[in-house]
Amino acid sequence: MASSDSFLRQLSSKEGWKSASKRWGGGGGGGWKQMEEMKNNGMFVMKKRVMVVVDQSSHSKHAMMWALTHVTNKGDILTLLHIVSSSDASSSSPYLPTSLASLCMACKPEVEVEALAIQGPKMDTVMSQVKKLEVSVLVLGQKKPSFFLNCLCLKSSTDEFVEKCINSLECLTIGVKKQSNGVSGYLISTRWHKNFWLLA
């Protein structure tokens, strides 16, 4: 169990990343090549692009809000990516990422939010967008596994997708699972931690 500050500080030191955010342990070594410099009142500050894959599920919305409150800083870009597969294109709302973006902007107006809805294979779409947009941090929602899957020691398709992203992508990829049954905080998975209990 750890606080958000201490855990994210550990991540920033592992990668040698640097950020102005207290949550990211500003002052670490090295810069993010994905970050851009922007001029603000005559001073240069760093900004990063954070991407969250969103859908209709509650766990993706939890991940979105966690990324907004724990990862983004003033001037950062939060990209909400909604992937529409050809099989469920008719049932997926094209307005979902836009409505979620409006919610994020209302909660944290100092962060730039953009919404994308792209049709295609899930993994290929994420990989191409991460590379194209030079994403610094990718945040993915995870749901609590069912009792049946736990008994058989099987992984859900969501967990398999998150694990593949964590192991395949060059950017920092974080799986976020909100605790349940009255327990506060989140379970966080990265390349170095699995189901790490992080206090909200």
Side-chain angles (χ1 to χ4, degrees):
M1 180 178 64
S3 67
S4 300
D5 288 348
S6 62
F7 177 75
L8 294 177
R9 195 176 296 115
Q10 289 176 31
L11 288 183
S12 64
S13 63
K14 281 181 181 293
E15 285 292 312
W17 288 341
K18 182 178 180 182
S19 172
S21 170
K22 292 181 180 178
R23 294 188 180 276
W24 285 90
W32 292 7
K33 67 178 181 179
Q34 295 97 337
M35 285 184 176
E36 303 169 359
E37 288 187 341
M38 62 179 181
K39 198 166 186 179
N40 182 21
N41 296 325
M43 297 181 64
F44 284 97
V45 295
M46 303 300 289
K47 70 175 180 177
K48 61 184 177 292
R49 184 186 295 272
V50 180
M51 176 180 283
V52 183
V53 177
V54 296
D55 53 34
Q56 300 279 6
S57 67
S58 60
H59 57 269
S60 79
K61 296 180 178 69
H62 288 313
M64 178 191 74
M65 294 308 297
W66 184 87
L68 182 68
T69 56
H70 290 71
V71 183
T72 60
N73 301 299
K74 181 178 180 180
D76 285 346
I77 303 172
L78 177 64
T79 301
L80 304 181
L81 174 63
H82 179 49
I83 301 170
V84 183
S85 67
S86 55
S87 59
D88 64 359
S90 59
S91 60
S92 180
S93 170
Y95 305 107
L96 174 66
T98 304
S99 62
L100 293 177
S102 298
L103 173 62
C104 291
M105 287 186 285
C107 294
K108 201 169 184 179
E110 65 270 27
V111 172
E112 181 182 341
V113 184
E114 63 180 10
L116 298 176
I118 300 176
Q119 184 171 343
K122 192 172 185 178
M123 188 67 200
D124 290 345
T125 303
V126 170
M127 292 181 71
S128 65
Q129 290 302 307
V130 164
K131 184 176 182 179
K132 177 182 177 181
L133 301 175
E134 297 185 318
V135 172
S136 304
V137 185
L138 174 66
V139 179
L140 303 167
Q142 292 182 281
K143 60 183 177 180
K144 185 178 179 180
S146 68
F147 177 77
F148 177 74
L149 289 177
N150 272 338
C151 290
L152 297 178
C153 297
L154 298 175
K155 295 179 181 178
S156 67
S157 58
T158 299
D159 284 339
E160 288 181 345
F161 169 71
V162 172
E163 189 170 302
K164 189 173 182 179
C165 287
I166 288 174
N167 295 326
S168 302
L169 298 174
E170 293 184 4
C171 69
L172 171 60
T173 303
I174 305 175
V176 178
K177 186 187 303 179
K178 187 174 176 60
Q179 288 278 43
S180 58
N181 300 326
V183 181
S184 62
Y186 297 83
L187 293 177
I188 304 298
S189 294
T190 69
R191 194 168 296 174
W192 308 279
H193 302 85
K194 185 172 179 62
N195 291 328
F196 188 87
W197 184 10
L198 185 68
L199 287 176

